[in-house]
Structure formats: C-alpha cells, structure tokens
Amino acid sequence: MVVRARTCSFIREGGRPCRATPLRDEDFCFWHSPNHQEEAAEGRRLGGLRRRKERALAGA
Ligand SMILES: [Zn+2]
C-alpha cells in the first residue's frame, strides 16, 4: 500500500483542518468536495431532519 492515509484539505473556521478521509482522487472529503457540494448539503439536511425526528420520538 503506497498511499498513506490522506486527509481532507479543507480548513475549517478557526484554521483547523477537516481531517476527514478524502474522496478517491480528490483532495477533499465528501462534505467539502466542490463536486459533491449539493449532495452533501442534501445529506446534511436529511440528517438534520432525521435527528430532529428521533429526538421528538424520544420525548414522546
Ligand atoms: Zn472535509
């Protein structure tokens, strides 16, 4: 295995690197890749909705 563990090149607010596993042949992870920005946004939106629903169920 030649490829060492790469990390996402994205620098978050505060100067901290993302450090997530980048996509194959890309410098950024799924969340920060310009090629997947819309998908990532959608995934975040859905994840947020799901979390909210779970909390609502837990409270019921
Ligand atoms: Zn990233």
Side-chain angles (χ1 to χ4, degrees), residues 1-31:
M1 198 66 180
V2 178
V3 180
R4 279 262 304 157
R6 298 178 306 134
T7 55
C8 174
S9 300
F10 185 83
I11 304 298
R12 304 194 297 187
E13 284 181 47
R16 288 162 161 271
C18 169
R19 298 183 67 181
T21 304
L23 295 167
R24 188 192 293 249
D25 297 330
E26 291 194 35
D27 292 330
F28 299 98
C29 71
F30 176 82
W31 306 104

PDB file of all heavy atoms in Angstrom, residues 1-31:
ATOM      1  N   MET A   1       0.850  -1.199   0.000  1.00  0.00           N
ATOM      2  CA  MET A   1       0.000   0.000   0.000  1.00  0.00           C
ATOM      3  C   MET A   1       0.882   1.243   0.000  1.00  0.00           C
ATOM      4  O   MET A   1       1.584   1.536   0.961  1.00  0.00           O
ATOM      5  CB  MET A   1      -0.862  -0.050   1.273  1.00  0.00           C
ATOM      6  CG  MET A   1      -2.078   0.822   1.282  1.00  0.00           C
ATOM      7  SD  MET A   1      -3.396   0.514   0.182  1.00  0.00           S
ATOM      8  CE  MET A   1      -4.457   1.872   0.730  1.00  0.00           C
ATOM      9  N   VAL A   2       0.876   1.980  -1.095  1.00  0.00           N
ATOM     10  CA  VAL A   2       1.721   3.161  -1.212  1.00  0.00           C
ATOM     11  C   VAL A   2       1.026   4.390  -0.625  1.00  0.00           C
ATOM     12  O   VAL A   2       1.653   5.233   0.004  1.00  0.00           O
ATOM     13  CB  VAL A   2       2.065   3.444  -2.689  1.00  0.00           C
ATOM     14  CG1 VAL A   2       2.905   4.715  -2.805  1.00  0.00           C
ATOM     15  CG2 VAL A   2       2.810   2.260  -3.287  1.00  0.00           C
ATOM     16  N   VAL A   3      -0.251   4.431  -0.822  1.00  0.00           N
ATOM     17  CA  VAL A   3      -0.999   5.616  -0.395  1.00  0.00           C
ATOM     18  C   VAL A   3      -1.136   5.653   1.123  1.00  0.00           C
ATOM     19  O   VAL A   3      -1.707   4.762   1.728  1.00  0.00           O
ATOM     20  CB  VAL A   3      -2.409   5.614  -1.030  1.00  0.00           C
ATOM     21  CG1 VAL A   3      -3.183   6.852  -0.567  1.00  0.00           C
ATOM     22  CG2 VAL A   3      -2.292   5.590  -2.536  1.00  0.00           C
ATOM     23  N   ARG A   4      -0.557   6.678   1.684  1.00  0.00           N
ATOM     24  CA  ARG A   4      -0.697   6.863   3.132  1.00  0.00           C
ATOM     25  C   ARG A   4      -2.063   7.466   3.410  1.00  0.00           C
ATOM     26  O   ARG A   4      -2.728   7.985   2.525  1.00  0.00           O
ATOM     27  CB  ARG A   4       0.384   7.824   3.631  1.00  0.00           C
ATOM     28  CG  ARG A   4       1.710   7.123   3.824  1.00  0.00           C
ATOM     29  CD  ARG A   4       1.916   6.734   5.281  1.00  0.00           C
ATOM     30  NE  ARG A   4       1.800   7.902   6.145  1.00  0.00           N
ATOM     31  CZ  ARG A   4       1.504   7.824   7.428  1.00  0.00           C
ATOM     32  NH1 ARG A   4       1.264   6.662   7.967  1.00  0.00           N
ATOM     33  NH2 ARG A   4       1.444   8.905   8.171  1.00  0.00           N
ATOM     34  N   ALA A   5      -2.466   7.414   4.633  1.00  0.00           N
ATOM     35  CA  ALA A   5      -3.756   7.986   4.999  1.00  0.00           C
ATOM     36  C   ALA A   5      -3.775   9.470   4.669  1.00  0.00           C
ATOM     37  O   ALA A   5      -3.068  10.260   5.279  1.00  0.00           O
ATOM     38  CB  ALA A   5      -4.001   7.766   6.481  1.00  0.00           C
ATOM     39  N   ARG A   6      -4.560   9.810   3.681  1.00  0.00           N
ATOM     40  CA  ARG A   6      -4.679  11.222   3.310  1.00  0.00           C
ATOM     41  C   ARG A   6      -5.806  11.835   4.123  1.00  0.00           C
ATOM     42  O   ARG A   6      -6.650  11.144   4.669  1.00  0.00           O
ATOM     43  CB  ARG A   6      -5.001  11.347   1.820  1.00  0.00           C
ATOM     44  CG  ARG A   6      -3.906  10.764   0.933  1.00  0.00           C
ATOM     45  CD  ARG A   6      -4.306  10.870  -0.526  1.00  0.00           C
ATOM     46  NE  ARG A   6      -5.602  10.261  -0.769  1.00  0.00           N
ATOM     47  CZ  ARG A   6      -6.569  10.820  -1.484  1.00  0.00           C
ATOM     48  NH1 ARG A   6      -6.369  11.995  -2.036  1.00  0.00           N
ATOM     49  NH2 ARG A   6      -7.703  10.217  -1.675  1.00  0.00           N
ATOM     50  N   THR A   7      -5.797  13.150   4.180  1.00  0.00           N
ATOM     51  CA  THR A   7      -6.888  13.823   4.872  1.00  0.00           C
ATOM     52  C   THR A   7      -7.421  14.942   4.004  1.00  0.00           C
ATOM     53  O   THR A   7      -6.733  15.471   3.143  1.00  0.00           O
ATOM     54  CB  THR A   7      -6.426  14.403   6.222  1.00  0.00           C
ATOM     55  OG1 THR A   7      -5.307  15.252   5.992  1.00  0.00           O
ATOM     56  CG2 THR A   7      -6.027  13.303   7.187  1.00  0.00           C
ATOM     57  N   CYS A   8      -8.634  15.308   4.257  1.00  0.00           N
ATOM     58  CA  CYS A   8      -9.288  16.385   3.523  1.00  0.00           C
ATOM     59  C   CYS A   8      -8.485  17.671   3.684  1.00  0.00           C
ATOM     60  O   CYS A   8      -8.012  17.985   4.771  1.00  0.00           O
ATOM     61  CB  CYS A   8     -10.704  16.562   4.077  1.00  0.00           C
ATOM     62  SG  CYS A   8     -11.587  17.962   3.397  1.00  0.00           S
ATOM     63  N   SER A   9      -8.320  18.412   2.579  1.00  0.00           N
ATOM     64  CA  SER A   9      -7.522  19.637   2.605  1.00  0.00           C
ATOM     65  C   SER A   9      -8.317  20.844   3.090  1.00  0.00           C
ATOM     66  O   SER A   9      -7.772  21.932   3.213  1.00  0.00           O
ATOM     67  CB  SER A   9      -6.987  19.939   1.197  1.00  0.00           C
ATOM     68  OG  SER A   9      -6.179  18.871   0.756  1.00  0.00           O
ATOM     69  N   PHE A  10      -9.558  20.627   3.341  1.00  0.00           N
ATOM     70  CA  PHE A  10     -10.400  21.750   3.740  1.00  0.00           C
ATOM     71  C   PHE A  10      -9.989  22.270   5.120  1.00  0.00           C
ATOM     72  O   PHE A  10      -9.771  21.493   6.052  1.00  0.00           O
ATOM     73  CB  PHE A  10     -11.862  21.301   3.786  1.00  0.00           C
ATOM     74  CG  PHE A  10     -12.823  22.419   4.066  1.00  0.00           C
ATOM     75  CD1 PHE A  10     -13.262  23.235   3.032  1.00  0.00           C
ATOM     76  CD2 PHE A  10     -13.282  22.657   5.355  1.00  0.00           C
ATOM     77  CE1 PHE A  10     -14.161  24.266   3.282  1.00  0.00           C
ATOM     78  CE2 PHE A  10     -14.177  23.690   5.608  1.00  0.00           C
ATOM     79  CZ  PHE A  10     -14.614  24.498   4.574  1.00  0.00           C
ATOM     80  N   ILE A  11      -9.867  23.603   5.227  1.00  0.00           N
ATOM     81  CA  ILE A  11      -9.550  24.207   6.516  1.00  0.00           C
ATOM     82  C   ILE A  11     -10.818  24.857   7.058  1.00  0.00           C
ATOM     83  O   ILE A  11     -11.398  25.742   6.440  1.00  0.00           O
ATOM     84  CB  ILE A  11      -8.452  25.277   6.374  1.00  0.00           C
ATOM     85  CG1 ILE A  11      -7.219  24.669   5.712  1.00  0.00           C
ATOM     86  CG2 ILE A  11      -8.112  25.859   7.744  1.00  0.00           C
ATOM     87  CD1 ILE A  11      -6.591  23.542   6.505  1.00  0.00           C
ATOM     88  N   ARG A  12     -11.224  24.408   8.192  1.00  0.00           N
ATOM     89  CA  ARG A  12     -12.474  24.910   8.760  1.00  0.00           C
ATOM     90  C   ARG A  12     -12.250  26.241   9.461  1.00  0.00           C
ATOM     91  O   ARG A  12     -11.108  26.675   9.652  1.00  0.00           O
ATOM     92  CB  ARG A  12     -13.021  23.885   9.758  1.00  0.00           C
ATOM     93  CG  ARG A  12     -13.187  22.537   9.105  1.00  0.00           C
ATOM     94  CD  ARG A  12     -14.013  21.631   9.946  1.00  0.00           C
ATOM     95  NE  ARG A  12     -13.379  21.353  11.250  1.00  0.00           N
ATOM     96  CZ  ARG A  12     -13.851  20.475  12.107  1.00  0.00           C
ATOM     97  NH1 ARG A  12     -14.934  19.800  11.819  1.00  0.00           N
ATOM     98  NH2 ARG A  12     -13.265  20.258  13.239  1.00  0.00           N
ATOM     99  N   GLU A  13     -13.316  26.860   9.874  1.00  0.00           N
ATOM    100  CA  GLU A  13     -13.214  28.115  10.614  1.00  0.00           C
ATOM    101  C   GLU A  13     -12.339  27.893  11.844  1.00  0.00           C
ATOM    102  O   GLU A  13     -12.466  26.897  12.535  1.00  0.00           O
ATOM    103  CB  GLU A  13     -14.609  28.565  11.074  1.00  0.00           C
ATOM    104  CG  GLU A  13     -15.439  29.158   9.944  1.00  0.00           C
ATOM    105  CD  GLU A  13     -16.800  29.611  10.469  1.00  0.00           C
ATOM    106  OE1 GLU A  13     -16.829  30.271  11.513  1.00  0.00           O
ATOM    107  OE2 GLU A  13     -17.805  29.278   9.831  1.00  0.00           O
ATOM    108  N   GLY A  14     -11.443  28.830  12.081  1.00  0.00           N
ATOM    109  CA  GLY A  14     -10.534  28.661  13.194  1.00  0.00           C
ATOM    110  C   GLY A  14      -9.215  28.037  12.764  1.00  0.00           C
ATOM    111  O   GLY A  14      -8.310  27.894  13.572  1.00  0.00           O
ATOM    112  N   GLY A  15      -9.111  27.709  11.457  1.00  0.00           N
ATOM    113  CA  GLY A  15      -7.856  27.198  10.941  1.00  0.00           C
ATOM    114  C   GLY A  15      -7.618  25.731  11.195  1.00  0.00           C
ATOM    115  O   GLY A  15      -6.542  25.215  10.931  1.00  0.00           O
ATOM    116  N   ARG A  16      -8.624  25.029  11.701  1.00  0.00           N
ATOM    117  CA  ARG A  16      -8.430  23.601  11.941  1.00  0.00           C
ATOM    118  C   ARG A  16      -8.731  22.810  10.667  1.00  0.00           C
ATOM    119  O   ARG A  16      -9.735  23.064  10.022  1.00  0.00           O
ATOM    120  CB  ARG A  16      -9.381  23.110  13.040  1.00  0.00           C
ATOM    121  CG  ARG A  16      -8.979  23.610  14.395  1.00  0.00           C
ATOM    122  CD  ARG A  16     -10.148  23.481  15.356  1.00  0.00           C
ATOM    123  NE  ARG A  16      -9.697  23.524  16.747  1.00  0.00           N
ATOM    124  CZ  ARG A  16      -9.337  22.441  17.437  1.00  0.00           C
ATOM    125  NH1 ARG A  16      -9.402  21.259  16.880  1.00  0.00           N
ATOM    126  NH2 ARG A  16      -8.930  22.549  18.681  1.00  0.00           N
ATOM    127  N   PRO A  17      -7.880  21.881  10.325  1.00  0.00           N
ATOM    128  CA  PRO A  17      -8.138  21.054   9.137  1.00  0.00           C
ATOM    129  C   PRO A  17      -9.304  20.108   9.371  1.00  0.00           C
ATOM    130  O   PRO A  17      -9.580  19.708  10.508  1.00  0.00           O
ATOM    131  CB  PRO A  17      -6.827  20.294   8.945  1.00  0.00           C
ATOM    132  CG  PRO A  17      -6.198  20.255  10.299  1.00  0.00           C
ATOM    133  CD  PRO A  17      -6.641  21.511  11.018  1.00  0.00           C
ATOM    134  N   CYS A  18      -9.981  19.791   8.283  1.00  0.00           N
ATOM    135  CA  CYS A  18     -11.129  18.884   8.370  1.00  0.00           C
ATOM    136  C   CYS A  18     -10.674  17.499   8.827  1.00  0.00           C
ATOM    137  O   CYS A  18     -11.228  16.919   9.728  1.00  0.00           O
ATOM    138  CB  CYS A  18     -11.810  18.818   7.011  1.00  0.00           C
ATOM    139  SG  CYS A  18     -13.024  17.512   6.876  1.00  0.00           S
ATOM    140  N   ARG A  19      -9.647  16.974   8.162  1.00  0.00           N
ATOM    141  CA  ARG A  19      -9.046  15.684   8.512  1.00  0.00           C
ATOM    142  C   ARG A  19      -9.941  14.485   8.269  1.00  0.00           C
ATOM    143  O   ARG A  19      -9.639  13.385   8.722  1.00  0.00           O
ATOM    144  CB  ARG A  19      -8.565  15.693   9.974  1.00  0.00           C
ATOM    145  CG  ARG A  19      -7.501  16.737  10.191  1.00  0.00           C
ATOM    146  CD  ARG A  19      -6.976  16.707  11.597  1.00  0.00           C
ATOM    147  NE  ARG A  19      -6.245  15.482  11.879  1.00  0.00           N
ATOM    148  CZ  ARG A  19      -5.699  15.197  13.040  1.00  0.00           C
ATOM    149  NH1 ARG A  19      -5.809  16.058  14.032  1.00  0.00           N
ATOM    150  NH2 ARG A  19      -5.051  14.086  13.228  1.00  0.00           N
ATOM    151  N   ALA A  20     -11.028  14.689   7.575  1.00  0.00           N
ATOM    152  CA  ALA A  20     -11.845  13.535   7.194  1.00  0.00           C
ATOM    153  C   ALA A  20     -11.154  12.804   6.050  1.00  0.00           C
ATOM    154  O   ALA A  20     -10.241  13.343   5.427  1.00  0.00           O
ATOM    155  CB  ALA A  20     -13.221  13.998   6.767  1.00  0.00           C
ATOM    156  N   THR A  21     -11.546  11.601   5.785  1.00  0.00           N
ATOM    157  CA  THR A  21     -10.966  10.856   4.679  1.00  0.00           C
ATOM    158  C   THR A  21     -11.439  11.453   3.363  1.00  0.00           C
ATOM    159  O   THR A  21     -12.628  11.559   3.140  1.00  0.00           O
ATOM    160  CB  THR A  21     -11.407   9.389   4.740  1.00  0.00           C
ATOM    161  OG1 THR A  21     -11.038   8.867   6.004  1.00  0.00           O
ATOM    162  CG2 THR A  21     -10.733   8.588   3.639  1.00  0.00           C
ATOM    163  N   PRO A  22     -10.516  11.882   2.510  1.00  0.00           N
ATOM    164  CA  PRO A  22     -10.913  12.480   1.237  1.00  0.00           C
ATOM    165  C   PRO A  22     -11.437  11.446   0.261  1.00  0.00           C
ATOM    166  O   PRO A  22     -11.185  10.253   0.399  1.00  0.00           O
ATOM    167  CB  PRO A  22      -9.625  13.130   0.723  1.00  0.00           C
ATOM    168  CG  PRO A  22      -8.526  12.356   1.347  1.00  0.00           C
ATOM    169  CD  PRO A  22      -9.060  11.821   2.654  1.00  0.00           C
ATOM    170  N   LEU A  23     -12.134  11.932  -0.723  1.00  0.00           N
ATOM    171  CA  LEU A  23     -12.657  11.053  -1.755  1.00  0.00           C
ATOM    172  C   LEU A  23     -11.513  10.530  -2.610  1.00  0.00           C
ATOM    173  O   LEU A  23     -10.457  11.145  -2.680  1.00  0.00           O
ATOM    174  CB  LEU A  23     -13.633  11.822  -2.644  1.00  0.00           C
ATOM    175  CG  LEU A  23     -14.900  12.309  -1.942  1.00  0.00           C
ATOM    176  CD1 LEU A  23     -15.608  13.318  -2.824  1.00  0.00           C
ATOM    177  CD2 LEU A  23     -15.814  11.149  -1.625  1.00  0.00           C
ATOM    178  N   ARG A  24     -11.741   9.453  -3.259  1.00  0.00           N
ATOM    179  CA  ARG A  24     -10.742   8.880  -4.150  1.00  0.00           C
ATOM    180  C   ARG A  24     -10.388   9.901  -5.240  1.00  0.00           C
ATOM    181  O   ARG A  24     -11.284  10.464  -5.855  1.00  0.00           O
ATOM    182  CB  ARG A  24     -11.330   7.618  -4.789  1.00  0.00           C
ATOM    183  CG  ARG A  24     -10.333   6.830  -5.592  1.00  0.00           C
ATOM    184  CD  ARG A  24     -11.087   5.806  -6.409  1.00  0.00           C
ATOM    185  NE  ARG A  24     -11.706   4.810  -5.514  1.00  0.00           N
ATOM    186  CZ  ARG A  24     -11.301   3.547  -5.457  1.00  0.00           C
ATOM    187  NH1 ARG A  24     -10.334   3.130  -6.218  1.00  0.00           N
ATOM    188  NH2 ARG A  24     -11.883   2.699  -4.650  1.00  0.00           N
ATOM    189  N   ASP A  25      -9.113  10.168  -5.431  1.00  0.00           N
ATOM    190  CA  ASP A  25      -8.622  11.092  -6.464  1.00  0.00           C
ATOM    191  C   ASP A  25      -9.002  12.537  -6.190  1.00  0.00           C
ATOM    192  O   ASP A  25      -8.965  13.382  -7.067  1.00  0.00           O
ATOM    193  CB  ASP A  25      -9.141  10.700  -7.854  1.00  0.00           C
ATOM    194  CG  ASP A  25      -8.627   9.335  -8.274  1.00  0.00           C
ATOM    195  OD1 ASP A  25      -7.519   8.978  -7.833  1.00  0.00           O
ATOM    196  OD2 ASP A  25      -9.317   8.648  -9.017  1.00  0.00           O
ATOM    197  N   GLU A  26      -9.411  12.843  -4.980  1.00  0.00           N
ATOM    198  CA  GLU A  26      -9.740  14.234  -4.675  1.00  0.00           C
ATOM    199  C   GLU A  26      -9.020  14.660  -3.399  1.00  0.00           C
ATOM    200  O   GLU A  26      -8.586  13.840  -2.609  1.00  0.00           O
ATOM    201  CB  GLU A  26     -11.254  14.387  -4.493  1.00  0.00           C
ATOM    202  CG  GLU A  26     -11.994  14.189  -5.805  1.00  0.00           C
ATOM    203  CD  GLU A  26     -13.427  14.678  -5.698  1.00  0.00           C
ATOM    204  OE1 GLU A  26     -13.654  15.668  -5.001  1.00  0.00           O
ATOM    205  OE2 GLU A  26     -14.297  14.056  -6.305  1.00  0.00           O
ATOM    206  N   ASP A  27      -8.892  15.973  -3.229  1.00  0.00           N
ATOM    207  CA  ASP A  27      -8.214  16.485  -2.050  1.00  0.00           C
ATOM    208  C   ASP A  27      -9.175  16.744  -0.905  1.00  0.00           C
ATOM    209  O   ASP A  27      -8.763  17.053   0.204  1.00  0.00           O
ATOM    210  CB  ASP A  27      -7.493  17.798  -2.389  1.00  0.00           C
ATOM    211  CG  ASP A  27      -6.315  17.557  -3.333  1.00  0.00           C
ATOM    212  OD1 ASP A  27      -5.723  16.467  -3.259  1.00  0.00           O
ATOM    213  OD2 ASP A  27      -6.006  18.455  -4.125  1.00  0.00           O
ATOM    214  N   PHE A  28     -10.464  16.636  -1.210  1.00  0.00           N
ATOM    215  CA  PHE A  28     -11.440  16.950  -0.180  1.00  0.00           C
ATOM    216  C   PHE A  28     -12.337  15.755   0.127  1.00  0.00           C
ATOM    217  O   PHE A  28     -12.521  14.876  -0.704  1.00  0.00           O
ATOM    218  CB  PHE A  28     -12.327  18.123  -0.632  1.00  0.00           C
ATOM    219  CG  PHE A  28     -11.540  19.387  -0.874  1.00  0.00           C
ATOM    220  CD1 PHE A  28     -11.156  19.726  -2.152  1.00  0.00           C
ATOM    221  CD2 PHE A  28     -11.186  20.206   0.183  1.00  0.00           C
ATOM    222  CE1 PHE A  28     -10.420  20.889  -2.380  1.00  0.00           C
ATOM    223  CE2 PHE A  28     -10.452  21.358  -0.035  1.00  0.00           C
ATOM    224  CZ  PHE A  28     -10.062  21.706  -1.316  1.00  0.00           C
ATOM    225  N   CYS A  29     -12.889  15.758   1.310  1.00  0.00           N
ATOM    226  CA  CYS A  29     -13.811  14.704   1.685  1.00  0.00           C
ATOM    227  C   CYS A  29     -15.162  14.954   1.015  1.00  0.00           C
ATOM    228  O   CYS A  29     -15.380  15.975   0.370  1.00  0.00           O
ATOM    229  CB  CYS A  29     -13.967  14.656   3.206  1.00  0.00           C
ATOM    230  SG  CYS A  29     -14.884  16.052   3.891  1.00  0.00           S
ATOM    231  N   PHE A  30     -16.054  14.047   1.205  1.00  0.00           N
ATOM    232  CA  PHE A  30     -17.381  14.152   0.589  1.00  0.00           C
ATOM    233  C   PHE A  30     -18.031  15.490   0.907  1.00  0.00           C
ATOM    234  O   PHE A  30     -18.657  16.123   0.069  1.00  0.00           O
ATOM    235  CB  PHE A  30     -18.256  13.005   1.113  1.00  0.00           C
ATOM    236  CG  PHE A  30     -19.669  13.074   0.624  1.00  0.00           C
ATOM    237  CD1 PHE A  30     -19.989  12.593  -0.643  1.00  0.00           C
ATOM    238  CD2 PHE A  30     -20.667  13.610   1.412  1.00  0.00           C
ATOM    239  CE1 PHE A  30     -21.294  12.648  -1.096  1.00  0.00           C
ATOM    240  CE2 PHE A  30     -21.973  13.664   0.952  1.00  0.00           C
ATOM    241  CZ  PHE A  30     -22.297  13.190  -0.299  1.00  0.00           C
ATOM    242  N   TRP A  31     -17.913  15.937   2.136  1.00  0.00           N
ATOM    243  CA  TRP A  31     -18.599  17.150   2.573  1.00  0.00           C
ATOM    244  C   TRP A  31     -17.995  18.412   1.984  1.00  0.00           C
ATOM    245  O   TRP A  31     -18.667  19.425   1.871  1.00  0.00           O
ATOM    246  CB  TRP A  31     -18.560  17.242   4.097  1.00  0.00           C
ATOM    247  CG  TRP A  31     -19.103  16.010   4.709  1.00  0.00           C
ATOM    248  CD1 TRP A  31     -18.391  14.997   5.288  1.00  0.00           C
ATOM    249  CD2 TRP A  31     -20.479  15.612   4.776  1.00  0.00           C
ATOM    250  NE1 TRP A  31     -19.246  14.013   5.702  1.00  0.00           N
ATOM    251  CE2 TRP A  31     -20.521  14.360   5.411  1.00  0.00           C
ATOM    252  CE3 TRP A  31     -21.666  16.209   4.349  1.00  0.00           C
ATOM    253  CZ2 TRP A  31     -21.720  13.685   5.636  1.00  0.00           C
ATOM    254  CZ3 TRP A  31     -22.857  15.532   4.581  1.00  0.00           C
ATOM    255  CH2 TRP A  31     -22.885  14.296   5.211  1.00  0.00           C
TER     256      TRP A  31
END
